[in-house]
Amino acid sequence: MGVKLRRLEVKCFRGFSSHRVFDFPDGITLIIGPVGAGKTSILSAIQFVFFGTDFYAGLGVIQRESLVNVGCREAFVRLYFEVTGEGVYKLERRLARADGRLVEHVALETPTGEVFEGPSKVEGVIEEILGMDFQEFIRSASLSYVLVHMLAYGRSLTRSRALDILLGINAVRSFHESISLNRVRSSLERVRAELATLRSEYEEAVRNLSVLSEKRAQIASEVEDIEKRLGELSARVEALRPVAEKYESLKREIEGERSYVSKLRERVKHAPSEVDLYKILEEAEGLKHSLRDILERLKAPQKLLEALEHLTFTSENTGSALADLEKIVDEAWSHYDRVWEDFQASAREVELKKAELAALEKVLVELEPSATEYEEAEERVQELESKYGKASELEEEVRKLEQEIKETSRKIQISRSLLQLKQVLIEEASKRRSVQCQVCGTTLDSRSIEKVEEGVEQLTRSIVDLERKLSESEKRLRELREVLEDLRGLKVLLVSRELEYEKYKEYLERKESLDEEVREDEIKLREKEREYKELSAILTRVDERAHDLRRRFAEQEVVSEILKAEGRLRKLEEELAEYEPKYKEYVTAKSELDSLTKEKDSLNAQLKTLEESVVVDQVKRLEEKIHSLENELAELESLYSRLERIKSATREILTELRRKRIEELNRKINEILRAVYPAEQVRAVELEVVEKRKKGTAPTSYYEVFVEVGGTKYRFSELLSDGQKTIVVLSLLLAIYSQIRRNIDFVMLDEPLPNVDDRIKVNFLKSLSTVLDIRQAILTTQAEDIAKRIEGVNIIQL
């Protein structure tokens, strides 16, 4: 049974965002395109549709969700593959993003129409058809340049592990490496150390048994001596106990009396001299006179003054008189409050006047522009009338000037007409001997023309005089008209502003009157306020002193009680001093008794811990532990010996398996190498199993690749170029593929020779089918030119 690929359909898988179809006939298929065109994505799609992942996702290089194109929600891959003797299978796999997770659907349809669904069921069938799982597939049937690079440039140990997997002996190597002698060896060392410690403890416990009896006898003797002393001390303490109880009772009584005195003293706030009755009476009379002065200044009711006058202070009525004094002080405060309220009312009236004054000032500010305009207009009218006269006089003068200007203009017009006529006559006369005037008919000759010329000069001077007079009159008329117009406008303004001006004058007079009233009221208020505040301060001092006198009078009884309590306290302290020597003797004996009792308890506790049974039990437990550890040690030594033999046997088996696997493999490697790389530089390649030994440890075996160059044998990594290393490793992988390809009849190579020239690539492609004896090979490459140099190659151009 051989499996060959026929058609691949992809959509939204990795680099493909649209639906694409690729066909794979028998022979060689080259997938050609630049970097990023999607060549590797085609091979990844085949891996994905078979096993649900690809080379990079399987290694954890990328997340599985990265297989879905970034612009899509679901990746779709469908593969048609042919199985010799059965027909064509159709395999579909979908991977979708949904609610932050991946949802996968896979279905396999057989040539007979049977359908398998579900990842686990389908992949089980696929592994059975291909004869390999995913790991075997990507290491033999679908070779990545990453795997080639790892084998070409990796460490010897990494290369050996990969080759064991490819050659199918990884399980033996894993079993060999799982046998850990170090763990058993460390357990042996631990048990031996623990056993030595227990044996040391056992010897110490045995020695302790020999000294245990002597120690117990010594402690028992000490306990007996202490018990005798305890009996004597107990009798002594009991004899002194009544004295101690009496002493402690007196002490408690003294503490109570001291506390009582302390509390009484807290109630006394004044010195003893200040609570003297005669001093209190004297100060009370002084307060009475001060209070009378205050009441008179406040103009208090006569009833209140009479009550104060009738108040007398004697030693018999001091308490009641002081109480009456405080009542009168309270009534004085009440009267003061009423007086102060009246004062506040007066102050409020002043504030109202201030508010009115502020309102007037605001109105005056608003009216001031109109008043100023009125006054300025009135002043301008007076100025114009004083200079030009009243409006009626100006009107009369204007009429006269108008008549005068009209008459003068008429005269100038007539004079100009005469002047023009005479000038024409003179001009005509100069042309002819005589000329007749067309106006009056007079004939003029040369003699009369001279007179006419004289008349022209006079007439010219007359016209100039008339024109000057006319100009002056017109100027005067314009001036008077302007003045008259100003007077009329000013009078209109005066009429329009007259009412506002009258209000302004009225409000101004009211403001000046209020200003004076407010100033006088504020002076009176300040004087009253100063007087009332002074009276308030005096009344406050009188009030405080009246209350203080009451407190001082009340403290007289407390002072008397303090003196009595101090007398009792002195008697108790004297009695306590008599009992104190015996009490000290009691305390000393009691302390010694307690100390000996503790010492006795401590010795009894030591006796309890020194019981022979405790030490005997310890010895028995140690013996049991030692016996148990000796058995465990024997078992571990036996296990270690057996494991050493097993480890050695598996190492020999692994080495032998490796040698057997590479005997046929070396022949195939060189056959492939000579076919794909006919150059003379590398004569032969040999894969060997090399053993490495380190002092104190078992030998290890691994693969080493040697090459023959120029008749000399070299290690694979010492001499070859990067391209030659790639060719050797690729020959090795293809040789392995030829041995373990199982049921498949195709191979997929992802950029197998990236760093060799086109000639070698062409030769490799031409000889690939022959050396591997396969029907189908799919390769990716960026070298587009090599396709033109090979006949019969199927090309997928991206």
Side-chain angles (χ1 to χ4, degrees):
M1 181 173 65
V3 177
K4 290 183 287 186
L5 308 178
R6 286 305 177 214
R7 170 170 287 188
L8 177 71
E9 297 180 21
V10 295
K11 183 179 180 181
C12 291
F13 179 80
R14 285 189 55 167
F16 297 108
S17 59
S18 61
H19 184 265
R20 298 292 298 273
V21 179
F22 306 101
D23 291 319
F24 304 109
D26 288 353
I28 295 175
T29 297
L30 283 182
I31 304 172
I32 301 173
V35 175
K39 303 184 298 298
T40 302
S41 294
I42 293 176
L43 305 186
S44 293
I46 295 171
Q47 296 169 6
F48 169 74
V49 76
F50 274 137
F51 298 102
T53 186
D54 73 344
F55 177 78
Y56 296 98
L59 292 179
V61 176
I62 63 172
Q63 297 294 324
R64 191 161 175 255
E65 63 182 15
S66 299
L67 298 176
V68 183
N69 186 275
V70 292
C72 306
R73 295 180 59 84
E74 180 184 76
F76 166 75
V77 179
R78 178 184 292 140
L79 177 67
Y80 295 91
F81 62 92
E82 181 180 356
V83 178
T84 304
E86 294 184 11
V88 177
Y89 285 73
K90 182 175 73 172
L91 175 61
E92 291 183 359
R93 193 180 294 266
R94 298 175 186 270
L95 189 64
R97 300 190 187 100
D99 301 326
R101 60 189 183 91
L102 292 176
V103 178
E104 185 177 10
H105 175 74
V106 59
L108 173 67
E109 184 179 346
T110 68
T112 60
E114 185 179 4
V115 177
F116 298 92
E117 292 185 349
S120 59
K121 184 178 291 186
V122 170
E123 285 162 21
V125 176
I126 291 296
E127 288 181 9
E128 183 178 349
I129 292 172
L130 299 180
M132 58 181 65
D133 60 13
F134 173 70
Q135 295 297 330
E136 291 175 312
F137 187 79
I138 63 173
R139 285 185 171 91
S140 59
S142 181
L143 300 181
S144 168
Y145 68 89
V146 176
L147 180 60
V148 175
H149 188 275
M150 180 179 69
L151 292 173
Y153 303 103
R155 297 183 299 113
S156 297
L157 182 59
T158 304
R159 187 183 302 118
S160 294
R161 288 179 180 272
L163 288 174
D164 281 341
I165 294 171
L166 292 171
L167 295 173
I169 57 175
N170 184 51
V172 178
R173 179 188 59 78
S174 298
F175 175 69
H176 172 73
E177 291 178 352
S178 68
I179 300 172
S180 177
L181 294 176
N182 290 333
R183 291 176 58 188
V184 180
R185 188 183 300 112
S186 63
S187 297
L188 274 171
E189 293 172 355
R190 176 185 57 79
V191 172
R192 285 170 181 161
E194 190 175 348
L195 187 58
T197 302
L198 286 174
R199 284 171 176 166
S200 176
E201 291 178 4
Y202 177 77
E203 292 174 0
E204 181 67 22
V206 171
R207 284 195 298 270
N208 289 338
L209 279 173
S210 62
V211 297
L212 183 63
S213 298
E214 296 177 5
K215 184 68 175 177
R216 292 184 71 256
Q218 180 185 350
I219 293 173
S221 176
E222 292 177 4
V223 169
E224 186 178 353
D225 292 340
I226 289 173
E227 285 177 345
K228 290 179 181 178
R229 292 170 62 192
L230 283 173
E232 295 172 358
L233 281 172
S234 297
R236 187 177 173 189
V237 166
E238 288 301 319
L240 293 171
R241 189 180 300 279
V243 176
E245 291 174 353
K246 180 64 176 177
Y247 179 86
E248 290 173 350
S249 174
L250 285 171
K251 196 170 183 179
R252 286 192 297 273
E253 192 174 351
I254 288 170
E255 289 299 323
E257 202 68 43
R258 284 176 179 168
S259 175
Y260 178 62
V261 170
S262 176
K263 290 178 180 178
L264 289 174
R265 284 175 176 166
E266 288 176 359
R267 292 168 57 188
V268 177
K269 305 297 181 181
H270 300 85
S273 60
E274 293 183 352
V275 297
D276 180 71
L277 179 62
Y278 295 104
K279 189 172 182 178
I280 291 171
L281 292 174
E282 183 181 353
E283 290 185 16
E285 286 293 336
L287 285 180
K288 177 180 175 182
H289 293 300
S290 298
L291 187 57
R292 182 187 301 112
D293 181 59
I294 292 171
L295 292 175
E296 288 174 353
R297 290 176 65 183
L298 289 173
K299 297 179 181 179
Q302 188 63 31
K303 183 179 179 182
L304 188 59
L305 288 169
E306 290 175 357
L308 181 63
E309 193 65 32
H310 294 144
L311 184 64
T312 57
F313 296 96
T314 64
S315 56
E316 290 79 10
N317 72 341
T318 305
S320 59
L322 288 174
D324 292 339
L325 179 64
E326 287 183 335
K327 289 179 181 179
I328 295 173
V329 170
D330 291 340
E331 291 179 8
W333 273 118
S334 299
H335 181 66
Y336 175 84
D337 291 340
R338 289 191 292 272
V339 171
W340 181 253
E341 287 178 3
D342 294 339
F343 170 77
Q344 292 294 98
S346 300
R348 285 193 292 274
E349 289 178 4
V350 174
E351 291 300 321
L352 290 174
K353 289 180 180 180
K354 286 183 178 180
E356 183 183 356
L357 189 60
L360 284 172
E361 288 175 346
K362 184 177 180 181
V363 173
L364 286 170
V365 169
E366 294 174 353
L367 292 174
E368 189 172 7
S370 299
T372 303
E373 193 175 5
Y374 181 89
E375 290 176 348
E376 290 176 351
E378 193 175 41
E379 184 180 350
R380 178 62 176 162
V381 168
Q382 291 175 0
E383 180 184 346
L384 291 174
E385 285 183 346
S386 64
K387 183 176 180 180
Y388 295 101
K390 294 185 177 180
S392 59
E393 295 174 353
L394 284 173
E395 290 173 356
E396 181 63 29
E397 186 176 357
V398 165
R399 282 194 298 274
K400 289 180 179 180
L401 279 172
E402 288 175 347
Q403 186 64 34
E404 183 179 337
I405 288 170
K406 187 184 294 185
E407 183 64 28
T408 304
S409 297
R410 187 181 63 79
K411 289 180 178 180
I412 290 171
Q413 187 177 4
I414 294 171
S415 297
R416 283 178 177 169
S417 298
L418 288 173
L419 179 62
Q420 186 178 4
L421 179 61
K422 288 182 178 184
Q423 286 175 341
V424 171
L425 290 174
I426 291 172
E427 185 177 352
E428 290 293 329
S430 63
K431 293 178 182 179
R432 299 193 297 271
R433 289 184 179 180
S434 63
V435 62
Q436 186 176 5
C437 179
Q438 296 177 356
V439 177
C440 63
T442 306
T443 301
L444 300 175
D445 55 14
S446 59
R447 288 192 299 271
S448 57
I449 286 302
E450 292 179 358
K451 291 181 180 180
V452 173
E453 288 176 349
E454 291 177 1
V456 167
E457 291 179 1
Q458 291 177 358
L459 188 58
T460 299
R461 286 195 294 272
S462 174
I463 290 172
V464 170
D465 291 340
L466 287 172
E467 287 178 345
R468 183 172 59 252
K469 181 180 179 181
L470 179 63
S471 175
E472 290 174 356
S473 297
E474 287 176 344
K475 182 179 178 182
R476 177 66 176 174
L477 181 61
R478 284 193 301 272
E479 182 181 358
L480 291 178
R481 281 176 175 171
E482 289 176 0
V483 171
L484 188 59
E485 188 67 27
D486 286 347
L487 283 173
R488 289 170 180 166
L490 288 170
K491 287 188 177 181
V492 171
L493 178 64
L494 287 173
V495 171
S496 65
R497 295 287 186 268
E498 185 175 5
L499 182 60
E500 293 177 349
Y501 182 71
E502 292 298 328
K503 287 183 180 179
Y504 178 80
K505 298 293 287 183
E506 180 185 349
Y507 291 156
L508 187 61
E509 290 176 3
R510 175 59 180 161
K511 174 184 175 300
E512 291 172 353
S513 174
L514 271 178
D515 274 339
E516 183 64 26
E517 289 180 20
V518 167
R519 279 196 297 272
E520 292 176 357
D521 290 346
E522 284 183 337
I523 292 170
K524 291 178 182 178
L525 284 175
R526 281 196 293 271
E527 291 176 355
K528 285 288 184 183
E529 184 178 18
R530 184 169 56 253
E531 181 182 2
Y532 290 152
K533 287 183 177 179
E534 180 184 351
L535 289 173
S536 174
I538 297 171
L539 188 57
T540 299
R541 287 196 296 272
V542 170
D543 194 359
E544 291 174 350
R545 289 178 63 192
H547 285 299
D548 186 60
L549 286 176
R550 282 286 302 275
R551 286 193 296 270
R552 285 158 62 186
F553 180 75
E555 287 175 5
Q556 279 188 325
E557 296 180 359
V558 178
V559 170
S560 176
E561 181 62 25
I562 289 172
L563 294 174
K564 293 177 182 177
E566 287 177 342
R568 294 194 301 272
L569 186 60
R570 283 193 295 273
K571 290 181 181 179
L572 289 172
E573 288 174 344
E574 290 172 359
E575 188 176 358
L576 184 71
E578 294 176 1
Y579 284 96
E580 189 169 4
K582 290 290 185 180
Y583 181 76
K584 288 182 178 179
E585 185 179 350
Y586 169 81
V587 170
T588 302
K590 184 73 167 57
S591 175
E592 189 176 353
L593 180 65
D594 293 341
S595 177
L596 283 174
T597 302
K598 289 180 180 179
E599 186 178 353
K600 175 188 172 183
D601 293 340
S602 175
L603 290 173
N604 284 329
Q606 291 181 38
L607 279 174
K608 189 174 182 181
T609 59
L610 292 175
E611 289 290 338
E612 287 188 9
S613 59
V614 176
V615 181
V616 170
D617 290 343
Q618 182 184 10
V619 171
K620 287 181 179 180
R621 285 196 304 272
L622 289 172
E623 286 177 346
E624 291 173 357
K625 283 186 177 181
I626 289 171
H627 180 69
S628 176
L629 282 176
E630 285 175 345
N631 291 335
E632 185 179 354
L633 181 62
E635 291 176 359
L636 285 172
E637 287 174 343
S638 175
L639 175 61
Y640 186 78
S641 176
R642 291 196 301 272
L643 284 177
E644 274 189 319
R645 291 194 298 272
I646 294 170
K647 185 86 171 180
S648 176
T650 57
R651 182 174 58 254
E652 291 174 2
I653 292 169
L654 181 61
T655 302
E656 185 62 25
L657 282 174
R658 284 173 170 171
R659 285 176 178 152
K660 286 182 178 179
R661 289 288 191 275
I662 65 175
E663 285 178 2
E664 178 62 24
L665 191 61
N666 279 329
R667 185 190 63 77
K668 192 65 176 178
I669 292 172
N670 285 284
E671 179 185 340
I672 294 171
L673 182 64
R674 283 192 294 272
V676 301
Y677 185 63
E680 293 294 328
Q681 290 92 334
V682 182
R683 296 283 184 88
V685 177
E686 186 175 358
L687 185 64
E688 294 184 6
V689 177
V690 180
E691 286 193 345
K692 186 175 182 180
R693 295 178 179 272
K694 285 186 179 181
K695 188 176 181 180
T697 61
T700 58
S701 65
Y702 59 92
Y703 298 101
E704 187 67 76
V705 182
F706 293 95
V707 294
E708 182 182 342
V709 179
T712 306
K713 187 177 180 181
Y714 296 95
R715 286 185 182 275
F716 164 76
S717 58
E718 292 176 352
L719 189 64
L720 300 185
S721 67
D722 289 347
Q724 290 171 329
K725 289 179 182 177
T726 302
I727 292 171
V728 170
V729 170
L730 189 58
S731 300
L732 170 61
L733 291 172
L734 291 175
I736 294 173
Y737 168 76
S738 67
Q739 292 186 353
I740 63 170
R741 59 183 176 177
R742 308 291 174 84
N743 300 335
I744 63 173
D745 203 9
F746 67 89
V747 65
M748 300 190 302
L749 304 177
D750 186 12
E751 196 64 55
L753 297 170
N755 48 8
V756 300
D757 57 41
D758 290 350
R759 181 180 60 83
I760 297 175
K761 289 181 179 178
V762 170
N763 192 69
F764 173 77
L765 292 173
K766 287 180 177 179
S767 57
L768 183 62
S769 298
T770 304
V771 296
L772 292 182
D773 189 23
I774 58 173
R775 300 288 184 87
Q776 194 177 49
I778 302 169
L779 300 89
T780 68
T781 180
Q782 298 178 38
E784 299 185 16
D785 294 340
I786 65 170
K788 300 175 182 178
R789 299 161 62 179
I790 305 174
E791 295 181 0
V793 174
N794 177 45
I795 295 176
I796 297 176
Q797 180 72 51
L798 297 178

